[in-house]
Amino acid sequence: MSATAANLPVLIQSAIHAIDSHAAELTELDRAIGDGDHVDNLIRGLQALSAISEELSQLDWQQALLKMGITVMSKVGGASGSLYGTLFMTMSKSLQNRALTTAVFAEIFHLGVESVKLRGKADKGEKTMLDVLIPVSEVLISHAAHPDLFDHIKQAAINGAEATRDMVATKGRASFLGERSRGHVDAGAKSSQVMICAVVDALKPNGGMQQGSRSC
Ligand code: ADP
Ligand code: MG
């Protein structure tokens, strides 16, 4: 990974494309057990990042992640805005002046996810985005040097999102439904999976974003 966040514009566009492609499905999920605004919230945040993506690409990763966190936090209402804002801001703080190697990324992502847990007072098994972020973080640490790291990340994200289907929500709006939240995949877990898969595909040496192609 280069010293500056040079590939951030491509990664942001990949995430936008992926959320656009899954918009109907994600909105349906948030309507079922939430309030239906999840895609609007994500797109608002991603468009805000897209608007500053050239500027972000000139920054080093610590500054870029900080600016991403502040932007998402301030532009996005809803639980997801403050949670993703927290993720990026903690990743920035944890990076310090180090180069962003895979092992360092695994470490700062782990610390970022820990701060999301604190911010949301939530953990694995509560039917939230954390059911994707935590297993992905674990795979990043355990498989950092593995040649098939990207495939393992995608599989962990897919499994994590699917696992929320049978869970009862105990955090966020879906928790108001209690037992009736069971049987639906959590929208925030699914969107995390979709964005992670898109970013991984864009990072793959010859797997750049292909128009019209669908990631996992
Ligand atoms: P809101 O719930 O405020 O309408 P969004 O629709 O943008 O916000 O995001 C909802 C998603 O946020 C949920 O599907 C869930 O994954 C995630 N979420 C909600 N509350 C929490 C929490 N306390 N901790 C972690 N994730 C949460
Ligand atoms: Mg919502």
Side-chain angles (χ1 to χ4, degrees):
M1 198 71 77
S2 71
T4 62
N7 57 353
L8 257 181
V10 170
L11 302 183
I12 292 165
Q13 286 315 310
S14 305
I16 291 176
H17 177 67
I19 293 300
D20 272 345
S21 313
H22 290 82
E25 178 190 357
L26 291 169
T27 297
E28 196 56 38
L29 292 175
D30 196 36
R31 279 215 187 106
I33 55 172
D35 57 357
D37 65 349
H38 186 54
V39 169
D40 294 343
N41 289 338
L42 290 175
I43 291 292
R44 195 173 323 115
L46 287 165
Q47 294 292 6
L49 293 180
S50 178
I52 58 165
S53 69
E54 282 313 311
E55 187 190 337
L56 289 172
S57 71
Q58 313 288 320
L59 301 175
D60 64 38
W61 277 101
Q62 188 182 348
Q63 292 171 309
L65 285 163
L66 178 61
K67 198 163 180 77
M68 285 173 72
I70 292 169
T71 302
V72 167
M73 184 87 81
S74 62
K75 295 276 166 125
V76 183
S80 52
S82 77
L83 295 168
Y84 277 113
T86 299
L87 176 72
F88 294 140
M89 284 161 77
T90 301
M91 287 175 74
S92 166
K93 198 170 89 188
S94 313
L95 180 57
Q96 293 163 350
N97 291 317
R98 293 177 295 171
L100 193 55
T101 62
T102 306
V104 169
F105 183 85
E107 182 194 320
I108 68 173
F109 189 78
H110 166 73
L111 293 169
V113 172
E114 288 298 309
S115 70
V116 172
K117 285 162 71 173
L118 283 176
R119 175 96 189 188
K121 298 186 179 62
D123 210 330
K124 203 169 168 176
E126 298 199 81
K127 202 178 180 90
T128 72
M129 61 173 73
L130 284 166
D131 290 304
V132 168
L133 298 180
I134 293 170
V136 165
S137 170
E138 287 167 355
V139 161
L140 269 163
I141 289 170
S142 62
H143 289 67
H146 198 285
D148 294 330
L149 171 65
F150 285 165
D151 291 336
H152 286 282
I153 290 173
K154 285 168 71 164
Q155 200 55 56
I158 293 167
N159 295 347
E162 184 54 36
T164 65
R165 189 185 299 277
D166 287 334
M167 293 176 189
V168 173
T170 45
K171 292 285 150 52
R173 288 177 199 280
S175 65
F176 305 153
L177 293 179
E179 188 63 39
R180 280 181 294 139
S181 65
R182 207 193 287 278
H184 303 274
V185 167
D186 172 62
K190 183 69 189 178
S191 65
S192 289
Q193 177 226 298
V194 164
M195 289 189 285
I196 287 167
C197 287
V199 166
V200 163
D201 282 345
L203 285 172
K204 271 187 174 170
N206 42 12
M209 189 177 50
Q210 286 148 5
Q211 277 303 326
S213 70
R214 273 207 149 193
S215 186
C216 54

